[in-house]
């Protein structure tokens, strides 16, 4: 593997906000982020006091319940040099709503803290490409892969081709385009339960597109969509697995051996 | 005040209606085909309009400005329209609008009217009110005719009959028009409509329309259409009655240069629709000799009062959010139980009702954001949906619902690290009974909606934070 | 009725004023002037390209386009009508009669009742302005005349063609209170399976003579 460390101006101290569901359900994603960032020469820290960004409460209509979670997030991360979040929907929650929530609470100090912190909050691919200036992270992943663009990554964070730029530099990978890539997979948080049947119909369309790619792996920057998609694929007995983008970027030839 | 939005107050919840509609394969095929065609056409003509985002900005800004000075512009419109020979009427709710309109028609001794597509008349239930008073309304828009003759409900704002295919339309026309033979090519069906309606256009003395825009500066009205049935209704009868929501007013004639670029491209994917009619009051030797406009509130001023969601009133009824919505594309419009379907319907209908009905609609969205992206007047529909969900939760006042209890418990869990970590441990224990061969295939209660079509991987034995903890202690080989 | 409507009027205005009591930071005039209008408002193409776009857009709408000079308008109209096998027409009141071809059997709009319009072979009119970008012609008055007959022929002078919609509105400002009709191709519908069908209730054929 080439030594990529020399490409970067300096080593950064990066605070990982793993998110509540990744912490609990997808620890491999977090481990991969840590391995990846450390491999690139950065120092990762994990503040234990972190819990949840408040997205589920906020989006379901329990906005007052999300407020203490906002305060908690700001308190935990306000001194971070950079916050890395491997989940675009949680970044969207923070970026799109925190300022408005703080203003609505009439807390001027909190508004200042939020505005001060927001420019240091990054989704994983934003951090890699925009902040750290790297596209080739030295990964090796010899599989047929299709990329699912989550709605928040597309229409809230406007990640554009950042994930694909990273994936194209992965050695051994065979990338296959997913048709109707801008169509929602039907997860939508509590929508998947509150409107389970419509969510299932949307999932069926997405699964058809995924299966058509004949990919071994479907990847994304959100494990929430992937949990939904993999759950459907497994129920149908399809062979495709889902893997968070961080896990692909963390994979190396040494790791495979 | 009694607000009416078609039959929406009696409609079943979105979930219940969707449950039935998802089984209708023909309907879903028709809806999918139609929305695919329109979204493709739209993308093409939007991509070629290099100043599209600037037009959206201007459209949104004009609407936001107009709402801030709505009283001023309505006053100005009324004065200018009256000066040009028109009559302006005000209706606080649906019943009052219907009374005014029935009164105007009865004063003419009218027994029938010709109508050009107006969603607002469907909102107030005008046809039913007319029929109750012995007045027959002839819908003249092709799609509205299909709906009226087939005793159906509209399922789309712009293309109300997109859930019907050509064979279904043929059946409806043959039966209603008493035809023994009729082809099923769209040309044949369109031709049948032309012949059926031409006689009505020439004979009926009262025309009825909605309005796309009311121009405060001139007192003028603009109607945008494709078929020419609108022009028939607007110019041939002796008397013309127009209904419009109070939010339809725009400040100046010039402002149309923005909306007439945004609307056709968004609505039908055309650079310009075939016909736009503009008139101001009564014109000597041209068109109707009497013109009435009924300005309707029916809940709109209450939407105005909620500053978090008043942008709902920017809507120019283009339907682009319906066509792009992955939820609408699955269920079609009838699931929304309202003549206003899709994402805009999901925010408009419950608000018109002041959240007293249609409370399932704000949840009829995965918040994917496609609606906001295409909205020509930049209504941030996902944000408004979230805001309305907050109102639903507050106003249900049933802090004891299972969901509310669960949400409050989760909030307590996330409030401290200790509780969060305890819950993670507890979750691993609680899931044991449901795991088989490494997967969860069935869950009880609401969560059963998840496992109905998806498997769930159980929580792994180690959380990320425990891995990190071990790593810090040097127990990890990573 | 007058009483209830005026009661409704004052109730509506009360509610609007209450809803807006906290949001009117500046005057209506200043607030309107502050609206951002960064969209294209003037022409960006050469005249020849603008006219070419106009003709191209019209053709995309299934309209026929005929070129003429001021000397050959009558001849162009004759040819256009002959292609349809049309021998007679109703002519808009404002149409310059010297442009009518010899041998055409025509009647003036003012002399025709609705029934005559319904039965007429076609109508001949001029426009006020035309928009290249959208393939639109803007007509003043003659609303029934340009609607009932199955064929519409419109003479457009080249200097009436602008590139963009905003330029057209600038030119139309003095006609803002007139009865205007924007026509973009023949009447059409896509209500059945999104298949575009030409000619529902309005004219099925549109001919434009570009002078």
């Amino acid at each position: 593997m080439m030594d990529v460390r020399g490409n970067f101006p300096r080593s950064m101290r990066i605070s990982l906000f793993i998110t509540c569901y990744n912490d609990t359900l997808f620890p491999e994603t977090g481990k991969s982020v840590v391995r990846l960032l450390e491999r690139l020469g950065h120092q990762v820290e994990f503040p234990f006091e972190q819990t949840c960004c408040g997205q589920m409460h906020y989006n379901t209509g329990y906005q007052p319940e999300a407020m203490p979670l906002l305060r908690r997030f700001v308190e935990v991360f306000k001194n971070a040099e950079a916050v890395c979040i491997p989940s675009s929907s949680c970044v969207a929650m923070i970026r799109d709503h925190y300022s408005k929530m703080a203003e609505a609470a009439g807390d001027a100090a909190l508004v200042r803290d939020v505005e001060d912190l927001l420019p240091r909050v990054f989704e994983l691919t934003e951090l890699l490409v925009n902040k750290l200036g790297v596209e080739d992270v030295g990964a090796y992943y010899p599989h047929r892969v299709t990329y699912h663009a989550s709605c928040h990554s597309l229409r809230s964070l406007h990640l554009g081709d950042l994930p694909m730029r990273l994936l194209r530099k992965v050695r051994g990978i065979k990338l296959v385009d997913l048709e109707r890539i801008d169509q929602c997979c039907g997860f939508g948080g509590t929508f998947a339960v509150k409107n389970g049947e419509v969510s299932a119909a949307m999932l069926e369309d997405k699964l058809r597109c995924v299966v058509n790619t004949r990919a071994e792996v479907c990847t994304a920057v959100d494990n929430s969509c992937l949990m939904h998609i993999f759950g459907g694929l497994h129920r149908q007995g399809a062979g495709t697995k889902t893997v968070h983008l961080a896990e692909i970027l963390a994979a190396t030839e040494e790791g495979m051996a | 005040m009694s607000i009416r939005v078609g039959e929406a107050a009696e409609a079943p919840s979105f979930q219940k209606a969707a449950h039935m509609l998802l089984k209708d394969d023909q309907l879903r095929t028709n809806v999918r085909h139609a929305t695919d065609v329109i979204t493709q056409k739209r993308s093409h003509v939007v991509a070629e309009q290099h100043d599209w985002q600037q037009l959206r900005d201007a459209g949104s800004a004009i609407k936001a400005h107009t709402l801030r000075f709505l009283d001023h512009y309505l006053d100005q419109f009324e004065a200018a329209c009256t000066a040009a020979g028109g009559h302006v009427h005000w209706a606080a709710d649906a019943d009052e609008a219907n009374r005014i309109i029935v009164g105007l028609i009865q004063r003419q001794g009218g027994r029938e009217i010709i109508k050009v597509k107006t969603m607002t008349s469907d909102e107030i239930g005008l046809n039913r009110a007319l029929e109750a008073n012995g007045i027959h309304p002839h819908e003249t828009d092709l799609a509205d005719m299909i709906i009226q003759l087939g005793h159906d409900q509209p399922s789309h704002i712009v293309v109300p009959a997109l859930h019907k295919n050509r064979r279904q339309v043929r059946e409806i026309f043959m039966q209603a028009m008493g035809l023994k033979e009729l082809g099923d090519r769209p040309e044949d069906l369109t031709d049948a409509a032309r012949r059926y309606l031409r006689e009505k256009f020439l004979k009926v003395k009262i025309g009825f329309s909605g309005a796309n825009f009311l121009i405060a500066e001139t007192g003028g009205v603009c109607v945008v259409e494709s078929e020419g049935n609108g022009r028939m209704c607007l110019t041939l009868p002796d008397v013309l009655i127009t209904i419009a929501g109070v939010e339809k007013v725009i400040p100046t004639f010039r402002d149309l240069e923005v909306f007439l670029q945004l609307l056709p491209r968004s609505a039908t994917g055309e650079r310009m629709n075939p016909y736009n009619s503009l008139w101001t009051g009564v014109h000597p030797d041209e068109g109707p000799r009497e013109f009435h406009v009924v300005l309707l509130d029916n809940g709109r001023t209450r939407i105005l009062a909620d500053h978090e969601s008043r942008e709902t009133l920017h809507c120019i009824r283009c339907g682009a959010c319906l066509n792009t919505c992955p939820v609408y594309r699955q269920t079609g419009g009838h699931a929304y139980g309202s003549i206003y379907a899709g994402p805009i319907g999901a925010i408009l209908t419950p608000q018109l009702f002041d959240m007293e009905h249609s409370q399932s609609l704000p949840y009829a969205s995965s918040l994917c954001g496609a609606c906001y992206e295409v909205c020509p007047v930049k209504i941030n529909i996902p944000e408004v949906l979230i805001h309305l969900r907050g109102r639903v939760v507050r106003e249900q006042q049933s802090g004891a619902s299972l969901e509310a209890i669960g949400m409050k418990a989760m909030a307590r869990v996330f409030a401290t690290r200790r509780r969060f970590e305890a819950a993670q441990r507890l979750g691993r224990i609680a899931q044991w009974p449901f795991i088989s061969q490494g997967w969860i295939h069935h869950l009880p209660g609401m969560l059963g909606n998840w496992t109905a079509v998806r498997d769930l991987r159980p929580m792994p034995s180690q959380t990320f934070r425990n891995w990190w903890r071990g790593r810090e202690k040097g127990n990890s080989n990573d | 009725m007058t009483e209830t409507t005026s009661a409704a009027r004052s109730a509506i205005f009360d509610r609007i004023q209450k809803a807006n009591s906290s949001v009117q930071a500046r005057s209506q005039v200043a607030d309107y002037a502050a609206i951002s209008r960064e969209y294209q408002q003037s022409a960006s193409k050469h005249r020849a390209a603008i006219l070419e776009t106009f003709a191209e857009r019209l053709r995309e709408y299934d309209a026929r386009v005929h070129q003429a000079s001021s000397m050959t308008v009558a001849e162009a109209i004759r040819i256009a009508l002959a292609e349809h096998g049309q021998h007679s027409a109703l002519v808009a009141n404002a149409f310059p009669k010297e442009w009518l071809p010899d041998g055409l059997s025509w009647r003036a709009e003012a002399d025709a009742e609705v029934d005559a319009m319904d039965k007429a072979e076609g109508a001949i009119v001029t426009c006020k302005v035309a928009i290249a970008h959208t393939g639109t012609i803007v007509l003043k008055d003659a609303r029934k005349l340009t609607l009932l007959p199955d064929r519409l022929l419109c003479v457009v002078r080249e200097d009436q063609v602008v590139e963009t919609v905003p330029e057209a509105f600038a030119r139309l400002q003095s006609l803002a209170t007139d009865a205007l009709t924007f026509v973009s191709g023949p009447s059409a519908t896509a209500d059945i399976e999104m298949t575009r069908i030409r000619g529902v209730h309005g004219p099925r054929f549109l001919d434009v003579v570009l002078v």
Side-chain angles (χ1 to χ4, degrees), chain B residues 2 10 39 76 105 112 115 137 143 153 167 188 190 192 197 210 221 225 286 289 307 313 357 428 441 451 454:
Chain B
S2 64
E10 291 85 43
T39 46
Q76 194 185 3
I105 297 168
E112 53 187 345
K115 273 183 80 189
Q153 291 291 321
R167 283 174 298 282
D188 302 326
T190 304
L197 282 176
V221 182
E225 53 134 354
E286 269 289 328
R289 55 175 171 70
H307 293 194
L313 298 173
H357 301 283
R428 272 198 303 279
H441 304 287
T451 48
R454 313 163 193 83

mmCIF file of all heavy atoms in Angstrom, chain B residues 2 10 39 76 105 112 115 137 143 153 167 188 190 192 197 210 221 225 286 289 307 313 357 428 441 451 454:
data_model
loop_
_atom_site.group_PDB
_atom_site.id
_atom_site.type_symbol
_atom_site.label_atom_id
_atom_site.label_comp_id
_atom_site.label_asym_id
_atom_site.label_seq_id
_atom_site.Cartn_x
_atom_site.Cartn_y
_atom_site.Cartn_z
ATOM 1 N N SER B 2 -66.963 27.064 9.262
ATOM 2 C CA SER B 2 -66.890 25.632 8.982
ATOM 3 C C SER B 2 -66.031 25.411 7.744
ATOM 4 O O SER B 2 -66.402 25.766 6.640
ATOM 5 C CB SER B 2 -68.295 25.067 8.767
ATOM 6 O OG SER B 2 -68.851 25.668 7.628
ATOM 7 N N GLU B 10 -64.059 13.258 6.265
ATOM 8 C CA GLU B 10 -64.591 11.912 6.500
ATOM 9 C C GLU B 10 -63.638 10.826 6.009
ATOM 10 O O GLU B 10 -63.952 9.635 6.073
ATOM 11 C CB GLU B 10 -65.946 11.726 5.794
ATOM 12 C CG GLU B 10 -67.085 12.542 6.385
ATOM 13 C CD GLU B 10 -67.144 13.959 5.822
ATOM 14 O OE1 GLU B 10 -66.974 14.110 4.600
ATOM 15 O OE2 GLU B 10 -67.329 14.907 6.610
ATOM 16 N N THR B 39 -42.238 13.561 -15.081
ATOM 17 C CA THR B 39 -40.964 13.953 -14.457
ATOM 18 C C THR B 39 -39.848 14.018 -15.504
ATOM 19 O O THR B 39 -38.996 14.898 -15.435
ATOM 20 C CB THR B 39 -40.545 13.003 -13.314
ATOM 21 O OG1 THR B 39 -40.707 11.667 -13.747
ATOM 22 C CG2 THR B 39 -41.374 13.204 -12.080
ATOM 23 N N GLN B 76 -56.171 46.285 -3.160
ATOM 24 C CA GLN B 76 -55.833 46.865 -4.463
ATOM 25 C C GLN B 76 -56.508 46.086 -5.590
ATOM 26 O O GLN B 76 -57.053 46.680 -6.530
ATOM 27 C CB GLN B 76 -54.302 46.817 -4.631
ATOM 28 C CG GLN B 76 -53.781 47.682 -5.763
ATOM 29 C CD GLN B 76 -52.271 47.497 -5.969
ATOM 30 O OE1 GLN B 76 -51.624 46.679 -5.305
ATOM 31 N NE2 GLN B 76 -51.720 48.261 -6.890
ATOM 32 N N ILE B 105 -75.938 32.383 -9.780
ATOM 33 C CA ILE B 105 -76.463 31.590 -10.902
ATOM 34 C C ILE B 105 -77.991 31.660 -10.922
ATOM 35 O O ILE B 105 -78.605 31.837 -11.978
ATOM 36 C CB ILE B 105 -75.972 30.124 -10.803
ATOM 37 C CG1 ILE B 105 -74.448 30.086 -10.923
ATOM 38 C CG2 ILE B 105 -76.635 29.252 -11.865
ATOM 39 C CD1 ILE B 105 -73.824 28.756 -10.568
ATOM 40 N N GLU B 112 -77.736 25.378 -15.755
ATOM 41 C CA GLU B 112 -76.479 24.654 -15.971
ATOM 42 C C GLU B 112 -75.338 25.647 -16.177
ATOM 43 O O GLU B 112 -75.568 26.797 -16.558
ATOM 44 C CB GLU B 112 -76.590 23.679 -17.154
ATOM 45 C CG GLU B 112 -77.091 24.318 -18.432
ATOM 46 C CD GLU B 112 -77.358 23.296 -19.543
ATOM 47 O OE1 GLU B 112 -76.898 22.148 -19.434
ATOM 48 O OE2 GLU B 112 -78.006 23.673 -20.521
ATOM 49 N N LYS B 115 -67.818 24.575 -16.706
ATOM 50 C CA LYS B 115 -66.740 24.785 -15.741
ATOM 51 C C LYS B 115 -65.398 24.437 -16.339
ATOM 52 O O LYS B 115 -65.246 23.397 -16.967
ATOM 53 C CB LYS B 115 -66.937 23.853 -14.531
ATOM 54 C CG LYS B 115 -67.823 24.387 -13.437
ATOM 55 C CD LYS B 115 -67.864 23.389 -12.280
ATOM 56 C CE LYS B 115 -66.636 23.484 -11.393
ATOM 57 N NZ LYS B 115 -66.597 22.369 -10.406
ATOM 58 N N PRO B 137 -73.560 21.296 -13.260
ATOM 59 C CA PRO B 137 -72.245 21.769 -13.725
ATOM 60 C C PRO B 137 -71.654 20.816 -14.752
ATOM 61 O O PRO B 137 -71.598 19.608 -14.516
ATOM 62 C CB PRO B 137 -71.417 21.744 -12.430
ATOM 63 C CG PRO B 137 -72.029 20.684 -11.579
ATOM 64 C CD PRO B 137 -73.452 20.468 -12.030
ATOM 65 N N ALA B 143 -59.802 15.650 -18.272
ATOM 66 C CA ALA B 143 -59.619 14.793 -17.103
ATOM 67 C C ALA B 143 -60.773 14.950 -16.114
ATOM 68 O O ALA B 143 -61.240 13.975 -15.529
ATOM 69 C CB ALA B 143 -58.297 15.109 -16.425
ATOM 70 N N GLN B 153 -63.091 10.399 -8.016
ATOM 71 C CA GLN B 153 -62.457 11.528 -7.327
ATOM 72 C C GLN B 153 -61.136 11.842 -8.019
ATOM 73 O O GLN B 153 -60.441 10.933 -8.467
ATOM 74 C CB GLN B 153 -62.159 11.154 -5.860
ATOM 75 C CG GLN B 153 -63.375 10.982 -4.985
ATOM 76 C CD GLN B 153 -64.090 12.286 -4.733
ATOM 77 O OE1 GLN B 153 -63.454 13.324 -4.537
ATOM 78 N NE2 GLN B 153 -65.417 12.260 -4.758
ATOM 79 N N ARG B 167 -58.345 2.375 -21.767
ATOM 80 C CA ARG B 167 -59.477 1.443 -21.826
ATOM 81 C C ARG B 167 -60.541 1.812 -20.789
ATOM 82 O O ARG B 167 -61.738 1.734 -21.039
ATOM 83 C CB ARG B 167 -58.977 0.011 -21.617
ATOM 84 C CG ARG B 167 -58.314 -0.551 -22.862
ATOM 85 C CD ARG B 167 -57.682 -1.908 -22.605
ATOM 86 N NE ARG B 167 -56.619 -1.851 -21.599
ATOM 87 C CZ ARG B 167 -55.387 -1.395 -21.854
ATOM 88 N NH1 ARG B 167 -55.081 -0.962 -23.066
ATOM 89 N NH2 ARG B 167 -54.480 -1.367 -20.912
ATOM 90 N N ASP B 188 -59.110 9.187 -30.328
ATOM 91 C CA ASP B 188 -60.545 8.886 -30.428
ATOM 92 C C ASP B 188 -61.280 9.460 -29.217
ATOM 93 O O ASP B 188 -62.362 10.037 -29.338
ATOM 94 C CB ASP B 188 -60.779 7.363 -30.458
ATOM 95 C CG ASP B 188 -60.051 6.705 -31.626
ATOM 96 O OD1 ASP B 188 -59.945 7.365 -32.684
ATOM 97 O OD2 ASP B 188 -59.596 5.570 -31.461
ATOM 98 N N THR B 190 -60.318 11.877 -27.176
ATOM 99 C CA THR B 190 -60.282 13.337 -27.177
ATOM 100 C C THR B 190 -61.330 13.881 -28.153
ATOM 101 O O THR B 190 -62.027 14.852 -27.864
ATOM 102 C CB THR B 190 -58.871 13.805 -27.588
ATOM 103 O OG1 THR B 190 -57.936 13.199 -26.701
ATOM 104 C CG2 THR B 190 -58.743 15.301 -27.494
ATOM 105 N N ALA B 192 -64.085 12.440 -29.063
ATOM 106 C CA ALA B 192 -65.421 12.251 -28.490
ATOM 107 C C ALA B 192 -65.740 13.392 -27.526
ATOM 108 O O ALA B 192 -66.847 13.932 -27.504
ATOM 109 C CB ALA B 192 -65.497 10.911 -27.769
ATOM 110 N N LEU B 197 -68.721 18.236 -26.054
ATOM 111 C CA LEU B 197 -68.736 19.514 -25.334
ATOM 112 C C LEU B 197 -69.018 20.726 -26.212
ATOM 113 O O LEU B 197 -69.488 21.750 -25.731
ATOM 114 C CB LEU B 197 -67.402 19.728 -24.617
ATOM 115 C CG LEU B 197 -67.230 18.944 -23.315
ATOM 116 C CD1 LEU B 197 -65.829 19.176 -22.757
ATOM 117 C CD2 LEU B 197 -68.270 19.368 -22.271
ATOM 118 N N GLY B 210 -61.601 28.770 -12.112
ATOM 119 C CA GLY B 210 -60.702 29.145 -11.032
ATOM 120 C C GLY B 210 -59.777 30.222 -11.559
ATOM 121 O O GLY B 210 -60.046 30.815 -12.610
ATOM 122 N N VAL B 221 -57.111 38.868 -14.145
ATOM 123 C CA VAL B 221 -57.073 37.465 -13.759
ATOM 124 C C VAL B 221 -56.334 36.700 -14.848
ATOM 125 O O VAL B 221 -56.462 37.016 -16.037
ATOM 126 C CB VAL B 221 -58.508 36.891 -13.609
ATOM 127 C CG1 VAL B 221 -58.463 35.433 -13.163
ATOM 128 C CG2 VAL B 221 -59.319 37.732 -12.642
ATOM 129 N N GLU B 225 -53.987 27.087 -19.200
ATOM 130 C CA GLU B 225 -54.595 25.797 -19.579
ATOM 131 C C GLU B 225 -54.009 25.279 -20.879
ATOM 132 O O GLU B 225 -53.181 25.934 -21.504
ATOM 133 C CB GLU B 225 -56.117 25.952 -19.703
ATOM 134 C CG GLU B 225 -56.491 27.087 -20.640
ATOM 135 C CD GLU B 225 -57.567 26.779 -21.639
ATOM 136 O OE1 GLU B 225 -58.008 25.618 -21.738
ATOM 137 O OE2 GLU B 225 -57.962 27.697 -22.363
ATOM 138 N N GLU B 286 -66.111 42.052 -26.041
ATOM 139 C CA GLU B 286 -65.240 40.888 -25.897
ATOM 140 C C GLU B 286 -65.655 40.079 -24.689
ATOM 141 O O GLU B 286 -65.571 40.561 -23.571
ATOM 142 C CB GLU B 286 -63.792 41.338 -25.659
ATOM 143 C CG GLU B 286 -62.951 41.495 -26.895
ATOM 144 C CD GLU B 286 -62.614 40.143 -27.517
ATOM 145 O OE1 GLU B 286 -62.482 39.142 -26.777
ATOM 146 O OE2 GLU B 286 -62.501 40.107 -28.733
ATOM 147 N N ARG B 289 -70.450 39.719 -20.443
ATOM 148 C CA ARG B 289 -70.844 41.098 -20.113
ATOM 149 C C ARG B 289 -70.923 41.294 -18.615
ATOM 150 O O ARG B 289 -71.121 42.398 -18.120
ATOM 151 C CB ARG B 289 -72.168 41.450 -20.789
ATOM 152 C CG ARG B 289 -73.284 40.468 -20.473
ATOM 153 C CD ARG B 289 -74.614 40.880 -21.041
ATOM 154 N NE ARG B 289 -75.577 39.799 -20.886
ATOM 155 C CZ ARG B 289 -76.097 39.405 -19.721
ATOM 156 N NH1 ARG B 289 -75.751 39.992 -18.585
ATOM 157 N NH2 ARG B 289 -76.955 38.405 -19.683
ATOM 158 N N HIS B 307 -46.277 31.204 11.318
ATOM 159 C CA HIS B 307 -45.140 31.677 10.521
ATOM 160 C C HIS B 307 -44.183 30.560 10.131
ATOM 161 O O HIS B 307 -43.389 30.706 9.204
ATOM 162 C CB HIS B 307 -44.400 32.788 11.272
ATOM 163 C CG HIS B 307 -45.245 34.012 11.393
ATOM 164 N ND1 HIS B 307 -44.756 35.234 11.771
ATOM 165 C CD2 HIS B 307 -46.559 34.212 11.177
ATOM 166 C CE1 HIS B 307 -45.740 36.123 11.787
ATOM 167 N NE2 HIS B 307 -46.841 35.515 11.436
ATOM 168 N N LEU B 313 -48.697 28.566 1.542
ATOM 169 C CA LEU B 313 -49.552 29.409 0.700
ATOM 170 C C LEU B 313 -48.825 29.938 -0.543
ATOM 171 O O LEU B 313 -49.427 30.606 -1.363
ATOM 172 C CB LEU B 313 -50.113 30.578 1.520
ATOM 173 C CG LEU B 313 -51.008 30.189 2.704
ATOM 174 C CD1 LEU B 313 -51.362 31.420 3.538
ATOM 175 C CD2 LEU B 313 -52.289 29.519 2.207
ATOM 176 N N HIS B 357 -58.546 17.568 11.351
ATOM 177 C CA HIS B 357 -58.695 16.327 10.586
ATOM 178 C C HIS B 357 -57.387 16.047 9.862
ATOM 179 O O HIS B 357 -56.489 16.868 9.864
ATOM 180 C CB HIS B 357 -59.820 16.462 9.542
ATOM 181 C CG HIS B 357 -61.153 16.777 10.131
ATOM 182 N ND1 HIS B 357 -61.923 15.832 10.753
ATOM 183 C CD2 HIS B 357 -61.836 17.938 10.200
ATOM 184 C CE1 HIS B 357 -63.044 16.393 11.186
ATOM 185 N NE2 HIS B 357 -63.015 17.675 10.862
ATOM 186 N N ARG B 428 -29.879 -5.931 24.218
ATOM 187 C CA ARG B 428 -29.271 -7.208 23.809
ATOM 188 C C ARG B 428 -29.958 -8.391 24.480
ATOM 189 O O ARG B 428 -30.088 -9.461 23.899
ATOM 190 C CB ARG B 428 -27.776 -7.192 24.124
ATOM 191 C CG ARG B 428 -26.928 -6.619 22.999
ATOM 192 C CD ARG B 428 -25.473 -7.009 23.144
ATOM 193 N NE ARG B 428 -24.907 -6.594 24.415
ATOM 194 C CZ ARG B 428 -24.478 -5.369 24.673
ATOM 195 N NH1 ARG B 428 -24.566 -4.438 23.735
ATOM 196 N NH2 ARG B 428 -23.980 -5.056 25.840
ATOM 197 N N HIS B 441 -36.807 -12.353 12.572
ATOM 198 C CA HIS B 441 -37.788 -12.404 11.479
ATOM 199 C C HIS B 441 -39.155 -11.876 11.894
ATOM 200 O O HIS B 441 -40.006 -11.633 11.061
ATOM 201 C CB HIS B 441 -37.955 -13.842 10.980
ATOM 202 C CG HIS B 441 -36.679 -14.470 10.549
ATOM 203 N ND1 HIS B 441 -36.044 -14.126 9.381
ATOM 204 C CD2 HIS B 441 -35.891 -15.407 11.137
ATOM 205 C CE1 HIS B 441 -34.930 -14.835 9.254
ATOM 206 N NE2 HIS B 441 -34.806 -15.602 10.322
ATOM 207 N N THR B 451 -40.759 -6.027 10.530
ATOM 208 C CA THR B 451 -40.441 -7.405 10.161
ATOM 209 C C THR B 451 -41.475 -8.017 9.218
ATOM 210 O O THR B 451 -41.333 -9.163 8.818
ATOM 211 C CB THR B 451 -40.290 -8.281 11.423
ATOM 212 O OG1 THR B 451 -41.404 -8.037 12.280
ATOM 213 C CG2 THR B 451 -39.001 -7.980 12.151
ATOM 214 N N ARG B 454 -39.112 -7.187 6.185
ATOM 215 C CA ARG B 454 -37.657 -7.100 6.303
ATOM 216 C C ARG B 454 -37.213 -7.941 7.480
ATOM 217 O O ARG B 454 -37.870 -7.991 8.510
ATOM 218 C CB ARG B 454 -37.196 -5.672 6.607
ATOM 219 C CG ARG B 454 -37.803 -4.592 5.756
ATOM 220 C CD ARG B 454 -37.567 -3.259 6.439
ATOM 221 N NE ARG B 454 -38.361 -2.201 5.869
ATOM 222 C CZ ARG B 454 -39.628 -1.968 6.190
ATOM 223 N NH1 ARG B 454 -40.249 -2.724 7.075
ATOM 224 N NH2 ARG B 454 -40.284 -0.977 5.632
#
